[in-house]
Amino acid sequence: MFSYRFVSMFMLSVAVMLMACGQKTEPEKPSEPVVIDTIPQMVMQIQQCSRLYTTEVKVHKIVTHDDVVRLKGNLLNKQFNIPLPLGDRKIAIPMDATLKAYIDFSEFDERSIERDGDKITILLPDPQVVLTSSKINQKEIKEYVGIVRAHFSDSEMSNYEQQGRLAIINSIPDMHIIETAQANAARVLVPMIVQMGYREEDITIAFRKNLTITDIIKRTMGN
């Protein structure tokens, strides 16, 4: 009984060895690198920024107005234009305002990302600029009103404030707030993309177009 089991196990072992030797051993094929699509994850993370505020600018402006009552007419076929004495009326209104620039990612999607091998380009929406606040410093208003003139009314003051707001918006190109907003957006997004495996030198942050003053005024006043 013992010998039978031993022989049986021996024969089985030999058979297995013969079968193994009779098989041709093929070299293992190197596994192909797994390409991970990071675009959907990148879109999701950027969309989470929602509205990315990148720049804030404090502006101090003095709005001035100067008008004079003048007597105009024609005498002996000669035109005359004479300022009336004590008819001057002047005002200087100090105004503090805050401008903020942001990028709205609500419509950002995979169409905004272009990948060419290891290189990737992110096409961002145009920065938006909003005048978030404006305030007149009532204590520092300088006003001169001639004897024959009435003081400035509340409606006139409100109108001058609106003119000051528009003047601030018109000066946005001189502040370089758009360029600063674009640069700051890149500083926020590039490290995020680097963490996904891209090299900083392979990342390009681009914008759709150069905004004109008309675009800025329209968007700023719209906000």
Side-chain angles (χ1 to χ4, degrees):
M1 185 71 175
F2 174 79
S3 299
Y4 174 76
R5 287 183 177 178
F6 177 80
V7 173
S8 298
M9 292 178 63
F10 175 77
M11 293 178 63
L12 179 61
S13 300
V14 172
V16 170
M17 291 176 62
L18 290 173
M19 290 175 61
C21 293
Q23 293 177 348
K24 295 182 179 179
T25 304
E26 297 182 358
E28 294 184 0
K29 296 181 179 179
S31 59
E32 297 182 357
V34 179
V35 179
I36 301 176
D37 186 6
T38 58
I39 301 300
Q41 180 186 0
M42 189 180 302
V43 170
M44 183 180 66
Q45 288 200 17
I46 293 177
Q47 284 178 338
Q48 288 177 351
C49 296
S50 182
R51 179 175 287 192
L52 177 63
Y53 283 91
T54 59
T55 309
E56 179 177 302
V57 177
K58 300 288 186 180
V59 181
H60 180 75
K61 184 175 182 60
I62 298 178
V63 181
T64 60
H65 179 77
D66 183 3
D67 62 19
V68 179
V69 175
R70 309 181 74 89
L71 181 62
K72 300 180 181 180
N74 189 311
L75 180 63
L76 300 176
N77 295 325
K78 290 185 178 182
Q79 299 286 336
F80 62 88
N81 187 343
I82 305 172
L84 294 180
L86 304 179
D88 289 356
R89 193 172 70 145
K90 303 177 182 180
I91 192 169
I93 306 172
M95 176 186 295
D96 294 307
T98 301
L99 289 164
K100 290 184 179 181
Y102 67 91
I103 296 176
D104 186 357
F105 288 105
S106 60
E107 297 183 0
F108 186 86
D109 55 27
E110 295 187 13
R111 294 172 297 179
S112 303
I113 300 177
E114 299 177 0
R115 186 169 61 182
D116 183 11
D118 294 333
K119 298 186 180 298
I120 190 165
T121 299
I122 312 295
L123 188 61
L124 295 183
D126 299 323
Q128 309 275 343
V129 182
V130 58
L131 183 62
T132 57
S133 65
S134 63
K135 181 181 180 181
I136 291 178
N137 191 333
Q138 299 288 344
K139 295 181 179 180
E140 295 185 6
I141 293 177
K142 306 298 182 183
E143 183 178 3
Y144 170 80
V145 179
I147 295 177
V148 299
R149 301 297 302 277
H151 285 273
F152 292 94
S153 65
D154 291 341
S155 61
E156 287 177 313
M157 296 284 287
S158 178
N159 183 49
Y160 299 149
E161 181 181 6
Q162 184 62 27
Q163 291 178 20
R165 289 168 60 93
L166 184 57
I168 292 173
I169 294 170
N170 282 328
S171 64
I172 287 176
D174 299 327
M175 303 177 194
H176 303 290
I177 187 172
I178 297 297
E179 295 85 348
T180 303
Q182 292 173 337
N184 288 345
R187 292 189 183 98
V188 172
L189 294 179
V190 168
M192 181 189 305
I193 300 170
V194 167
Q195 290 181 352
M196 297 181 185
Y198 293 90
R199 296 183 304 173
E200 184 173 339
E201 56 268 28
D202 293 332
I203 303 170
T204 300
I205 305 295
F207 292 84
R208 300 184 187 281
K209 64 177 181 178
N210 294 323
L211 294 179
T212 65
I213 185 61
T214 303
D215 296 326
I216 295 172
I217 292 177
K218 184 187 299 183
R219 295 182 180 185
T220 306
M221 296 303 291
N223 285 284

